[in-house]
């Protein structure tokens, strides 16, 4: 076949046009996320290529973060200089924290970068999430609460109906995170209100648990179940306290993921099983572990969940019935996915299924698996960002309902089919507290500043029940308040009142059915009445574990190893401050008069000896 000169020229032009368009298509493959990744890595060559492909140097994430912010926070001076030279806005503010590149440099102690940014016109804004702002807001909250309490009518102690309802969720079994229904109540069992582990006062036993774990004790009959992750580096360190670091722990050693069964009467380890031995797929936060999810049991099956390392089902004798790989489950920082924090949501058992909530960086979902063999029963995809809230199954007018809480929406699903029944928007990022039902109301709370709502929702809710701007109630929302929701600890409804304790130990008491605030006090305000000082309890309180209640008293665990006991009711009274002798970032369990607390090194059992 022959081509004349014109034909060959035309063919060359066609090929050139195609190649040009192919290259253009290649260029369009670059995304702003590629730029952010390159900035986090400080890869100037890659940043150059991406910008040359047409990506805006001031492209932003969903939270308004820019490449310059990431480079400044990570400490990459050359990348910062290059981005500034390319015209990056040194005073850009993200839309969540209101922080600039200089803010991030200062918070990460990148002095050289901070100085360079200032030389190039950067100014430091006031960041709303700073510790000074928190202190001012806490003070304002307390002052407002005192004024409201002074004007509030007198309340009688909890009604007989409330006490009966609390008794119905109390029992010798504590089958999941916070016990039956996620309520955290064990009335009629008379656990101790005072103890001292170091002195042996009311100490029944304590058993060392190797490794690290924030999973809470779960009880069925005479068996206690708990999990742990043992680092190959023998790393048993976490960093407790009030601080704002988002850093991950750099430990890529092989870990052993363990499940333990203990005799609840004497603390002896009945059996232990290694569920997996692997290098964790996801890093943990400085305050986190690789065994955060609490076990669920129904007396026949024991479900242990290690996030990316899998879902495991044992019988109560320790025989592995099945295991399930759910893929990588990264519940890291919503703002910058390069920071990984581990996984924290706990499973629940309903009828012949185990249900898990997996709100992660991409492809979030909630799913139910058959207890007999681990086969999938149903799965519902969710457009959600990472969170640590655990689901709860409750009875409702529409049948058994699965409650889930998350940033974009709290949702109710049919527990049997996974079909969504209702959704409610307007929550904080990093939702941790677990939803539950009391007084025929669904209680939802979240508290990652500045969004801190508490909502009481009707059990008959259906469809999208999100409040319009400025609303506090609607057809389905019985009451709500925009502030006061806790960040880490789940609130508790006990008797007629809801008790919400924030990370700094400020306790708010609210009338559960109306939302009327009764009081707001610092837990430490009663120290003088007990002849104690702040220094006697290890200094400033930091709260992560959730409160539990029994026989007219509420137990508040603190990270510094003290548990503060408050009398339930409309008047604040601190009854006791008890020392456990080690860090506590978990929620206690109660069974047959014994209070079980998981510390950093031991599982501790406390019982009245008088």
């Amino acid at each position: 076949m022959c081509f004349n000169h014109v034909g060959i020229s035309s063919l060359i032009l066609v090929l050139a046009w195609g190649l040009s368009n192919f290259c253009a298509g290649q260029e369009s493959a670059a995304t702003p996320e590629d730029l952010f990744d390159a900035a986090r890595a400080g890869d100037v060559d890659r940043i150059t290529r991406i910008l040359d492909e047409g990506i805006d140097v001031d492209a932003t994430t969903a939270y308004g973060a820019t490449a310059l912010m990431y480079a400044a926070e990570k400490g990459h001076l050359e990348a910062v200089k290059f981005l500034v030279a390319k015209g990056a806005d040194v005073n850009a503010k993200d839309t969540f924290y209101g922080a600039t590149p200089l803010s991030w440099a200062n918070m990460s102690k990148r002095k050289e970068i901070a100085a360079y940014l200032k030389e190039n016109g950067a100014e430091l804004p006031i960041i709303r999430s700073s510790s000074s702002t928190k202190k001012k807001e806490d003070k304002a909250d307390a002052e407002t609460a005192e004024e409201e309490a002074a004007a509030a009518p007198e309340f009688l102690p909890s009604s007989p109906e409330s006490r009966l309802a609390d008794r119905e969720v109390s029992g010798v079994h504590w089958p999941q995170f916070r016990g039956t229904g996620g309520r955290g109540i064990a009335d009629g069992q008379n656990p101790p209100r005072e103890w001292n582990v170091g002195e042996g006062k009311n100490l029944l036993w304590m058993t060392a648990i190797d490794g690290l774990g924030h999973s809470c004790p779960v009880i069925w009959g005479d068996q206690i179940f708990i999990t742990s992750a043992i680092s190959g580096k023998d790393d048993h360190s976490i960093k407790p306290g009030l601080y704002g670091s988002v850093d991950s722990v750099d430990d890529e050693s092989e870990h052993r993921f363990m499940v333990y069964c203990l005799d609840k009467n004497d603390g002896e380890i009945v059996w232990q099983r290694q569920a997996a031995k692997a290098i964790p797929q996801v890093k943990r936060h400085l305050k986190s572990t690789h065994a955060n999810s609490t076990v669920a049991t129904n007396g026949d099956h024991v479900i242990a969940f290690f996030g990316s390392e899998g879902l495991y089902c044992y019988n109560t004798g320790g025989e592995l019935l099945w295991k399930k790989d759910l893929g990588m489950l990264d519940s890291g920082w919503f703002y910058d996915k390069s920071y990984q924090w581990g996984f924290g949501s706990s499973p629940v058992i309903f009828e012949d299924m185990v249900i898990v909530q997996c709100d992660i960086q991409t492809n979030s979902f909630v799913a139910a698996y058959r207890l007999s063999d681990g086969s999938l029963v149903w799965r519902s995809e969710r457009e959600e960002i990472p969170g640590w809230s655990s689901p709860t199954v409750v009875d409702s007018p529409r049948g058994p309902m699965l409650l889930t809480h998350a940033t974009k929406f709290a949702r109710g699903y049919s527990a049997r089919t996974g079909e969504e029944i209702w959704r409610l928007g307007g929550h904080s990022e990093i939702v941790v507290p677990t939803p539950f039902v009391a007084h025929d109301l669904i209680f939802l709370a979240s508290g990652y500043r500045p969004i801190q709502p508490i909502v009481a929702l009707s059990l008959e809710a259906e469809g999208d029940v999100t409040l319009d701007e400025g609303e506090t109630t609607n057809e389905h929302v019985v009451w709500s308040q925009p502030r006061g929701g806790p960040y880490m600890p789940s609130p508790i409804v006990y008797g007629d009142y809801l008790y919400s304790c924030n990370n700094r130990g400020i306790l708010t008491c609210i009338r559960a059915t109306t939302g009327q605030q009764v009081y707001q006090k610092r837990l430490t305000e009663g120290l003088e009445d007990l002849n104690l000082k702040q220094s006697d309890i290890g200094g400033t309180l930091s709260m992560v574990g959730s409160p539990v209640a029994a026989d007219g008293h509420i137990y508040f665990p603190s990270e510094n190893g003290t548990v503060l006991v408050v009398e339930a009711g409309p008047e604040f009274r601190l009854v006791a401050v008890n020392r456990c002798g080690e860090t506590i970032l978990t929620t206690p369990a109660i069974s047959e008069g014994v209070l079980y607390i998981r510390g950093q090194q031991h599982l501790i059992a406390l019982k009245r000896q008088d």
Side-chain angles (χ1 to χ4, degrees):
M1 180 179 292
C2 296
F3 291 99
N4 60 29
H5 180 73
V6 174
I8 293 173
S9 298
S10 299
L11 178 61
I12 292 171
L13 287 173
V14 168
L15 291 172
W17 177 85
L19 181 61
S20 173
N21 278 275
F22 173 77
C23 292
Q26 291 294 96
E27 288 176 358
S28 66
T31 67
E33 189 59 44
D34 296 327
L35 177 61
F36 306 144
D37 286 341
R40 293 184 189 107
D43 189 338
V44 175
D45 289 340
R46 189 178 170 209
I47 293 171
T48 302
R49 291 194 300 271
I50 293 169
L51 294 181
D52 287 345
E53 291 173 5
I55 299 300
D56 185 357
V57 71
D58 284 325
T60 61
T61 69
Y63 293 93
T66 66
L68 182 57
M69 293 177 190
Y70 287 131
E73 191 272 335
K74 293 289 189 179
H76 300 306
L77 179 58
E78 293 307 313
V80 167
K81 289 181 177 179
F82 182 78
L83 289 165
V84 171
K86 287 292 185 178
D89 185 355
V90 296
N91 286 309
K93 291 183 180 180
D94 67 55
T95 56
F96 189 84
Y97 296 104
T100 65
L102 179 55
S103 305
W104 290 111
N106 283 337
M107 284 187 285
S108 299
K109 298 181 173 59
R110 313 294 188 185
K111 294 182 180 179
E112 193 173 359
I113 291 176
Y116 176 81
L117 290 171
K118 288 178 184 177
E119 290 171 4
N120 285 271
E123 298 176 354
L124 187 65
I126 297 173
I127 302 175
R128 65 185 175 212
S129 62
S130 67
S131 59
S132 61
T133 303
K134 287 182 179 180
K135 290 177 182 177
K136 291 177 182 177
E137 290 177 349
D138 287 344
K139 182 178 180 182
D141 287 346
E143 291 173 350
T144 301
E146 289 176 3
E147 293 172 0
E148 292 179 355
E154 290 294 324
F155 288 123
L156 295 174
S158 292
S159 65
E161 293 80 8
S162 294
R163 292 197 294 273
L164 179 60
D166 290 343
R167 206 66 182 270
E168 289 176 350
V169 296
S170 304
V172 298
H173 306 310
W174 194 273
Q176 64 185 56
F177 174 70
R178 282 242 292 195
T180 302
R183 291 289 308 278
I185 298 174
D187 270 350
Q189 302 189 37
N190 200 25
R193 292 192 284 272
E194 296 183 11
W195 66 84
N196 188 310
V197 171
E199 297 176 359
K201 179 180 179 181
N202 283 337
L203 175 64
L204 180 62
W205 53 258
M206 60 190 299
T207 300
I209 303 295
D210 200 6
L212 289 175
H214 290 338
S215 59
C216 308
V218 157
I219 303 164
W220 195 279
D222 288 335
Q223 293 179 302
I224 301 177
F225 303 101
I226 204 163
T227 63
S228 182
I230 304 172
S231 167
K233 293 174 61 175
D234 197 30
D235 182 3
H236 295 264
S237 62
I238 57 173
K239 183 182 178 181
L242 297 169
Y243 58 92
S245 175
V246 297
D247 287 345
S248 308
V249 173
D250 188 14
D251 180 0
E252 295 184 354
S253 67
E254 196 170 50
H255 284 58
R256 291 188 292 132
F257 297 86
M258 303 296 298
V259 183
Y260 296 93
C261 172
L262 292 80
D263 187 314
K264 80 172 185 181
N265 299 300
D266 57 19
E268 290 295 317
I269 295 177
V270 179
W271 55 259
Q272 56 181 297
R273 299 290 184 266
Q274 180 177 286
K277 187 175 184 180
I279 298 172
Q281 295 185 54
V282 174
K283 294 180 180 179
R284 65 178 176 90
H285 185 269
L286 295 168
K287 194 184 280 192
S288 179
T289 77
H290 287 299
N292 300 310
S293 302
T294 296
V295 168
T297 184
N298 61 0
D300 294 315
H301 302 83
V302 178
I303 302 295
F305 195 15
F306 292 101
S308 300
E309 277 58 60
L311 183 70
Y312 298 82
C313 179
Y314 297 85
N315 63 22
T316 53
E319 177 187 359
L320 179 64
L321 303 179
W322 53 264
K323 60 183 178 180
K324 197 85 174 175
D325 181 359
L326 303 186
M328 179 181 285
L329 304 178
D330 182 1
S331 296
W333 191 18
F334 66 91
Y335 188 89
D336 182 349
K337 67 180 183 181
S338 67
Y339 289 95
Q340 297 180 324
W341 293 347
F343 188 84
S345 183
S346 300
V348 292
I349 291 176
F350 167 68
E351 294 182 345
D352 62 344
M353 297 178 287
V354 54
I355 303 176
V356 296
Q357 177 181 343
C358 302
D359 290 333
I360 49 182
Q361 295 286 8
T362 57
N363 301 321
S364 297
F365 66 94
V366 59
Y369 300 92
R370 193 73 64 193
L371 275 176
S372 58
D373 58 10
S375 59
L376 180 67
V377 180
W378 58 258
R379 173 174 168 137
S380 294
E381 306 299 328
R382 294 155 62 85
E383 293 184 4
E384 279 296 346
I385 67 171
W388 285 44
S389 179
S390 298
T392 311
V393 176
V394 300
D395 291 326
S396 81
R398 292 180 176 82
M401 183 188 297
L402 177 74
L403 305 180
T404 68
H405 199 6
T407 296
K408 295 184 179 180
F409 293 99
R411 296 172 176 88
Y413 298 88
S414 165
R416 293 194 174 110
T417 68
E419 180 182 1
E420 184 178 303
I421 299 170
W422 58 264
R423 60 170 54 192
L424 173 74
H427 315 285
S428 76
E429 272 71 10
I430 315 180
V431 172
V432 180
T434 290
F436 59 90
V437 166
H439 298 279
D440 292 327
L441 296 173
I442 301 166
F443 288 93
L444 304 158
S446 57
Y448 186 77
R449 290 175 183 265
I451 303 171
Q452 303 171 299
I454 302 177
V455 181
L457 181 69
S458 169
L459 268 173
E460 297 185 353
E462 185 175 13
D464 191 333
V465 297
T466 303
L467 293 162
D468 292 332
E469 186 174 354
E471 282 187 335
T472 57
T473 63
N474 61 24
E475 179 184 357
H476 299 288
V477 176
V478 176
W479 64 262
S480 71
Q481 57 184 51
R483 296 192 60 189
Y487 177 25
M488 291 289 183
S490 297
I492 188 169
V493 169
Y494 187 44
D496 289 340
Y497 306 101
L498 179 145
Y499 302 87
S500 175
C501 184
N502 73 10
N503 284 34
R504 295 174 174 269
I506 297 177
L507 175 62
T508 305
C509 176
I510 299 169
R511 186 78 171 181
T513 55
T514 67
Q516 185 174 26
Q517 188 165 289
V518 181
Y519 69 72
Q520 188 176 70
K521 299 285 186 180
R522 289 187 180 275
L523 287 172
T524 53
E525 286 188 31
L527 289 177
E528 290 185 1
D529 295 335
L530 301 176
N531 296 315
L532 295 173
K533 302 187 294 294
Q534 191 83 31
S535 58
D536 293 325
I537 63 168
T540 303
L541 291 182
S542 175
M543 323 296 285
V544 171
S546 300
V548 296
D551 302 307
H553 293 83
I554 310 170
Y555 298 75
F556 295 91
S558 172
E559 289 186 56
N560 64 15
T562 57
V563 178
L564 297 91
V565 184
V566 171
E567 187 177 87
E571 294 184 4
F572 175 79
R573 187 168 81 88
L574 183 64
V575 173
V577 176
N578 302 293
R579 298 166 179 82
C580 293
E582 56 190 77
T583 301
I584 302 172
L585 286 91
T586 60
T587 298
I590 304 172
S591 176
E592 294 189 291
V594 181
L595 183 70
Y596 299 91
I597 300 175
R598 201 251 178 91
Q600 187 174 339
Q601 291 88 30
H602 297 86
L603 181 59
I604 302 166
L606 304 155
K607 183 177 183 179
R608 294 175 64 119
Q609 303 295 331
D610 51 15

